């Protein structure tokens, strides 16, 4: 829509068959450029506002789907349990030597 408007204004200003009327007015081309810039700015502002509304609606849908996100203090019990068990887990996950190497080193008793 904006492009069509710019093309229409440009064709009126640049049309050689009708051209002398607008070319007699000094600064008319500048006026057209200012109007076009204002229209672009308004269009961009409308797009930003529409995007903000879409973002807000998406955030509301996500909050509705997920529900209330728990606070860190609510996870403290789980974190403490994991911290307590981590030492046991890491000891059991150590790489073990093959049986032949254990016999050589005297660990296989």
């Amino acid at each position: 829509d904006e492009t069509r408007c710019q093309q229409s204004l440009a064709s009126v200003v640049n049309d050689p068959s009708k051209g002398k009327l607008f070319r007699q007015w000094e600064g008319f081309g500048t006026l057209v450029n200012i109007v076009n810039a204002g229209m672009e700015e308004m269009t961009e502002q409308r797009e930003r506002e529409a995007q903000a509304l879409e973002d807000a609606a998406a955030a509301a849908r996500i909050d509705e789907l997920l529900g209330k996100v728990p606070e860190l203090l609510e996870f403290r019990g789980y974190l403490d349990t994991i911290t307590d068990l981590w030492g046991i887990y890491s000891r059991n996950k150590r790489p073990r030597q093959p049986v032949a190497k254990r016999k050589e080193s005297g660990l296989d008793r």
Side-chain angles (χ1 to χ4, degrees):
D1 188 41
E2 182 179 329
T3 304
R4 205 174 314 138
C5 182
Q6 287 177 354
Q7 290 171 344
S8 297
L9 286 172
S11 66
V12 169
V13 172
N14 297 325
D15 188 2
S17 65
K18 303 176 188 173
K20 293 191 179 181
L21 175 67
F22 291 116
R23 291 185 186 161
Q24 291 174 358
W25 295 343
E26 193 173 310
F28 185 74
T30 305
L31 174 65
V32 169
N33 291 336
I34 291 171
V35 169
N36 284 337
M39 289 174 54
E40 287 177 13
E41 190 175 311
M42 287 173 49
T43 302
E44 290 171 0
Q45 182 179 0
R46 286 182 186 153
E47 290 173 354
R48 285 191 303 267
E49 290 171 356
Q51 185 63 43
L53 288 174
E54 288 177 18
D55 292 346
R61 285 192 303 265
I62 290 170
D63 288 344
E64 183 180 326
L65 287 172
L66 294 178
K68 181 182 174 244
V69 177
E71 297 293 324
L72 181 61
L73 292 176
E74 295 175 23
F75 285 109
R76 179 54 61 201
Y78 298 109
L79 295 174
D80 290 342
T81 302
I82 292 170
T83 302
D84 294 342
L85 296 175
W86 187 255
I88 297 167
Y89 173 79
S90 64
R91 271 195 313 267
N92 291 330
K93 283 301 195 180
R94 271 189 266 152
R96 297 190 177 163
Q97 294 180 351
V99 175
K101 285 190 177 183
R102 280 188 284 181
K103 286 182 180 179
E104 291 173 7
S105 65
L107 295 175
D108 190 37
R109 294 184 184 171

